[in-house]
Amino acid sequence: MFASALSSSRRPLVSKVLPQRSFASVSTQTAPQATATSLQAFLRDFKTNEPLSIVDLDANVFGAPLRKDILHRVVVWQRDNMRQGTGSAKTRGEVTGTGKKAAPQKGRGKARVGDRKAPQFRGGGIAFGPQPRDFGTKLPRKVQDFGLRVALSTKYAQDQLTIVDSFNAVDSFKTRDLRDLLQQAHDQQDKTMLLIINEENDSLQLAARNLPRCEVIYVEETNVLDLLSYDKVYVEKGAVDILETALATL
């Protein structure tokens, strides 16, 4: 009886299960986050590097998530299509020589041989040598466009993208004048530069043609490999509008 009384005394006084309380600090509901539709950047004068105004950039083009896997896929695709694939070696049927049997079949006590164009002979053909081929691979168009958006966003996030009003300020076709302008106004003595133009500019193209660290391309030629290969990217305002129109997501 004493044991039963002790066990009954250990029973909880409240038999109902209390409801679990929720605190504000552990709430599972999250507040909706507003996504910005545009980014801002300085519009600069190329000749003086002075800011002229502030322009709005499309966040879908210049604020895309930084995806290294997408950049890797696009760069590999570009470099595959850049390979020439012109390596060629002559087989035993292509080398010059007679097809006469080099030695009798029997009686010499040596191995049987055919003509001298066989791969084991000096001057013979190459077995399994390289032949002209196409190394190009395929990549979906959406992945290509996504790679361009990621590359432009990477340059913008790293402060390596400069928007200029126009490159028409370069009125001299001499390489020395453009080199002095880049060193004085932009302090780009030891850095590589990519200039993306919207329309034809003979003076700029002739002046930059002999600079080893500078390249000028049209906006239609913009690609991921060039964007990642150069330290600084200068884009004309008209080229920015074309990029935003071409890479805008639905």
Side-chain angles (χ1 to χ4, degrees), residues 175 178-179 182-183 188-194 207-216 229-230:
T175 303
L178 179 60
R179 182 193 59 193
L182 294 174
Q183 291 179 0
Q188 304 296 332
Q189 184 174 2
D190 298 329
K191 295 182 179 180
T192 56
M193 292 157 290
L194 179 66
R209 186 172 60 181
N210 210 24
L211 287 178
R213 298 176 179 269
C214 182
E215 183 178 356
V216 180
S229 299
Y230 290 87

Side-chain angles (χ1 to χ4, degrees), residues 158-189:
Q158 295 177 347
D159 197 19
Q160 297 178 350
L161 181 69
T162 302
I163 312 297
V164 298
D165 58 343
S166 176
F167 290 113
N168 293 329
V170 181
D171 52 0
S172 175
F173 58 87
K174 293 186 177 180
T175 303
R176 179 177 63 252
D177 297 339
L178 179 60
R179 182 193 59 193
D180 295 340
L181 187 150
L182 294 174
Q183 291 179 0
Q184 296 173 5
H186 300 274
D187 193 19
Q188 304 296 332
Q189 184 174 2

Side-chain angles (χ1 to χ4, degrees), residues 15-230:
S15 59
K16 296 191 299 180
V17 178
L18 296 178
Q20 185 177 4
R21 293 179 294 178
S22 60
F23 299 92
S25 59
V26 295
S27 177
T28 58
Q29 298 180 354
T30 58
Q33 298 179 356
T35 57
T37 58
S38 64
L39 303 172
Q40 290 184 337
F42 282 113
L43 179 65
R44 297 182 178 272
D45 183 11
F46 181 70
K47 200 166 187 177
T48 62
N49 201 26
E50 294 293 333
L52 302 177
S53 61
I54 297 178
V55 294
D56 292 332
L57 303 177
D58 191 354
N60 294 324
V61 178
F62 294 92
L66 307 184
R67 294 277 303 274
K68 292 192 295 184
D69 57 327
I70 296 296
L71 295 178
H72 178 265
R73 290 183 59 183
V74 178
V75 169
V76 170
W77 167 74
Q78 277 191 247
R79 294 182 66 88
D80 285 345
N81 289 275
M82 289 170 60
R83 299 185 63 177
Q84 293 182 351
T86 55
S88 179
K90 292 184 178 181
T91 62
R92 64 182 299 173
E94 296 172 342
V95 296
T96 302
T98 179
K100 178 183 177 182
K101 189 174 176 63
Q105 178 79 0
K106 305 175 74 65
R108 295 193 313 151
K110 296 183 180 181
R112 295 167 290 185
V113 296
D115 56 37
R116 287 286 178 177
K117 297 189 296 183
Q120 69 266 27
F121 292 114
R122 180 180 178 183
I126 303 298
F128 308 109
Q131 296 296 324
R133 54 169 295 190
D134 182 15
F135 289 94
T137 55
K138 295 182 179 180
L139 189 69
R141 182 68 185 185
K142 290 185 177 180
V143 180
Q144 301 177 27
D145 294 343
F146 191 21
L148 273 177
R149 290 195 294 268
V150 173
L152 290 171
S153 303
T154 302
K155 288 298 180 181
Y156 177 83
Q158 295 177 347
D159 197 19
Q160 297 178 350
L161 181 69
T162 302
I163 312 297
V164 298
D165 58 343
S166 176
F167 290 113
N168 293 329
V170 181
D171 52 0
S172 175
F173 58 87
K174 293 186 177 180
T175 303
R176 179 177 63 252
D177 297 339
L178 179 60
R179 182 193 59 193
D180 295 340
L181 187 150
L182 294 174
Q183 291 179 0
Q184 296 173 5
H186 300 274
D187 193 19
Q188 304 296 332
Q189 184 174 2
D190 298 329
K191 295 182 179 180
T192 56
M193 292 157 290
L194 179 66
L195 311 181
I196 302 178
I197 61 178
N198 181 26
E199 54 188 10
E200 187 175 0
N201 192 332
D202 294 334
S203 299
L204 179 63
Q205 291 174 301
L206 289 174
R209 186 172 60 181
N210 210 24
L211 287 178
R213 298 176 179 269
C214 182
E215 183 178 356
V216 180
I217 62 174
Y218 288 97
V219 62
E220 294 83 6
E221 301 172 345
T222 307
N223 59 88
V224 174
L225 186 59
D226 281 344
L227 289 174
L228 298 180
S229 299
Y230 290 87

